[in-house]
Amino acid sequence: MPRGARDPLPSGDEARLLTRYEDVRRALSDPRLSREGATGSDAARITDDDSDIFNSPMACTLNAVGHERWRRMLSRWFTAKRVQALRPAMERTADRLLDEMPDHGHPADLVSHLAFPLPVFVICAMLGVPEADRDSFKGWSDTFPSMAKYSRDEVTTAHREFEEYMAALVADKRAAVSAGKAAEGEEDLLSLLITATDAEGRPLSGEALTATGQALLLAGHETTAGFITVMAAHLLSDRRRRQRLLDDRSLARQAVEEMLRFDPSGGFGMIRYVHEDVELGGTVAPRGTTVVCSMSAANRDEDAFDRAAELDVTRSPNPHLAFGAGPHSCLGQALARTEMQAVLDVLLRRLPTLELAVNGAELRQVDGLLTSPPAALPVRW
Ligand code: HEM
């Protein structure tokens, strides 16, 4: 593909497609391009549909807070150290989910019984959602991205119910904090954010806290579930790879990074709007251009990665772009990495009792592992 090829969008408009590692990294980090800019401008539109997530009330609330301010207030709760403290609970949850799997019949589906619920439970634990409400969270999260599985009305209803739930949870937490009750070991993100202030001493409003809870589930669930699925598929479908990791468990971190790099199902890519003429992919992109940054393609660029088409669990360094780059790079990347490492550890520990119930090639062809995470991963033990 030529650098900066034209890319037709679902709306019929055209965008500039970037596929080279260096072009994608630079575009995502360049302040002359930003995520904002579609509304009211001449920029190409992604779809004809106004209901996309970046124009939702949740996104508008967060935009009003100011991206930099919001990100600075949140980022102190997403450090590697804080996230590492959640790891034992992640491993316990993964173990419990695998223990419960036989109750669901034989063979069991690793997606619905591990990859899908685990990241929801982790986000719930982080936000301080009571145990009893976690299945509702799972249900809402299942509905959000499912254009094919649910009707537009069902998706809208799920968004409304979820927003109402989050607003009530924030109000409960605020009451607990005011009454001094949150002190009993309640270290959840919402309780902490209620009392947090920015550099000017301003706290986040109730609406902003509600929108934050929504944004974290939307940004952090499907992505992590998809990558856990792909990782488990890569692990269970190749005996030599599995043996390599069993022989040297210290490779787990590198293996996770490589699965993140290697996955070709990064979707459409990240959208950016050009606000000032800028050279991109060898030509000038005039102001108003819509750019699609394909991280999946960039992660397979031979100029950036030796043997880029090969999954090498020992690859190091591995500066992949699965979490994006620049000011919007993934806020939850330490959480996602730790979750994947915890699951990999648990899977390796339990491997003697776990194997794919379909062969790897079949899985790839039937479920499209090459283009998107498999919808199901049948396993037996
Ligand atoms: C393997 C799993 C994940 C992947 C591959 C992933 C990927 C990404 C990417 C590529 C972006 C950049 C979006 C852009 O440039 O427009 C992003 C942003 C973001 N991610 Fe993740 N993500 C993952 C998990 C998570 C988790 C677990 C959370 C939190 C619970 C999270 C929270 C966020 C947030 C809040 C943003 C927006 C950051 C900003 O705009 O400043 N992500 N993620």
Side-chain angles (χ1 to χ4, degrees):
M1 172 141 349
R3 290 175 75 188
R6 291 187 183 283
D7 187 22
L9 297 166
S11 65
D13 287 355
E14 270 190 351
R16 189 75 70 87
L17 175 66
L18 298 180
T19 54
R20 300 278 176 92
Y21 180 89
E22 221 19 67
D23 294 341
V24 169
R25 198 188 56 76
R26 277 186 44 219
L28 290 174
S29 313
D30 193 317
R32 289 168 294 179
L33 286 86
S34 84
R35 209 161 64 177
E36 296 73 36
T39 323
S41 84
D42 294 338
R45 296 166 54 75
I46 312 308
T47 64
D48 287 329
D49 180 359
D50 269 337
S51 64
D52 74 87
I53 202 75
F54 294 111
N55 290 316
S56 64
M58 173 200 79
C60 295
T61 306
L62 293 179
N63 286 341
V65 174
H67 174 253
E68 255 185 71
R69 176 177 170 233
W70 179 78
R71 189 158 170 131
R72 225 176 293 130
M73 288 183 81
L74 255 80
S75 53
R76 57 191 114 149
W77 315 114
F78 280 91
T79 57
K81 190 170 160 220
R82 261 187 183 266
V83 165
Q84 208 52 41
L86 298 173
R87 183 170 168 150
M90 290 175 192
E91 287 189 28
R92 278 197 302 278
T93 309
D95 259 324
R96 178 176 57 76
L97 288 167
L98 286 173
D99 285 341
E100 288 169 4
M101 222 162 46
D103 304 343
H104 304 287
H106 201 262
D109 173 21
L110 203 77
V111 176
S112 40
H113 301 305
L114 177 72
F116 186 81
L118 182 78
V120 185
F121 293 156
V122 169
I123 295 173
C124 284
M126 190 170 206
L127 290 175
V129 172
E131 293 266 354
D133 299 341
R134 294 186 183 180
D135 281 339
S136 307
F137 249 67
K138 209 160 76 149
W140 289 318
S141 201
D142 181 37
T143 315
F144 297 148
S146 303
M147 308 291 186
K149 205 157 130 197
Y150 297 95
S151 70
R152 176 177 287 255
D153 281 352
E154 286 169 319
V155 175
T156 310
T157 305
H159 274 287
R160 202 197 51 243
E161 284 176 6
F162 181 41
E163 184 180 346
E164 286 167 5
Y165 175 85
M166 279 308 304
L169 183 67
V170 168
D172 282 354
K173 301 251 172 218
R174 196 184 288 286
V177 168
S178 309
K181 287 190 193 143
E184 302 152 16
E186 277 226 40
E187 273 274 288
D188 67 76
L189 181 65
L190 285 178
S191 300
L192 293 165
L193 278 176
I194 283 169
T195 51
T197 51
D198 65 10
E200 279 88 51
R202 293 172 299 170
L204 286 173
S205 67
E207 289 77 33
L209 288 167
T210 301
T212 298
Q214 290 175 271
L216 292 180
L217 184 68
L218 287 172
H221 179 228
E222 202 199 356
T223 40
T224 314
F227 270 100
I228 290 177
T229 305
V230 166
M231 179 176 74
H234 282 313
L235 188 69
L236 297 173
S237 64
D238 185 323
R239 270 180 198 285
R240 275 191 313 177
R241 182 177 303 138
R242 195 188 316 181
Q243 200 51 52
R244 183 85 181 82
L245 289 168
L246 281 170
D247 291 345
D248 184 356
R249 299 281 289 271
S250 72
L251 287 175
R253 265 168 197 271
Q254 277 154 258
V256 163
E257 294 309 310
E258 180 66 345
M259 313 260 189
L260 284 159
R261 179 193 73 84
F262 192 73
D263 178 56
S265 64
F268 188 59
M270 291 299 130
I271 310 296
R272 292 294 184 268
Y273 301 99
V274 175
H275 289 271
E276 214 180 286
D277 295 1
V278 58
E279 203 234 281
L280 278 181
T283 51
V284 171
R287 181 171 183 273
T289 306
T290 301
V291 177
V292 177
C293 300
S294 172
M295 282 112 66
S296 321
N299 282 340
R300 299 285 191 105
D301 183 346
E302 289 282 346
D303 287 341
F305 301 97
D306 285 343
R307 298 166 290 104
E310 204 179 293
L311 193 157
D312 173 4
V313 293
T314 66
R315 190 182 294 277
S316 178
N318 192 347
H320 63 76
L321 295 174
F323 293 118
H328 287 284
S329 68
C330 182
L331 181 67
Q333 55 187 282
L335 187 65
R337 286 191 157 104
T338 308
E339 247 173 283
M340 286 179 67
Q341 287 162 14
V343 172
L344 180 56
D345 231 43
V346 171
L347 284 175
L348 285 171
R349 185 155 33 83
R350 300 185 61 144
L351 265 179
T353 60
L354 204 61
E355 59 180 47
L356 273 183
V358 289
N359 73 49
E362 195 184 324
L363 189 72
R364 232 165 253 132
Q365 276 162 17
V366 176
D367 286 320
L369 181 56
L370 288 178
T371 51
S372 60
L377 206 57
V379 291
R380 57 174 168 247
W381 48 90

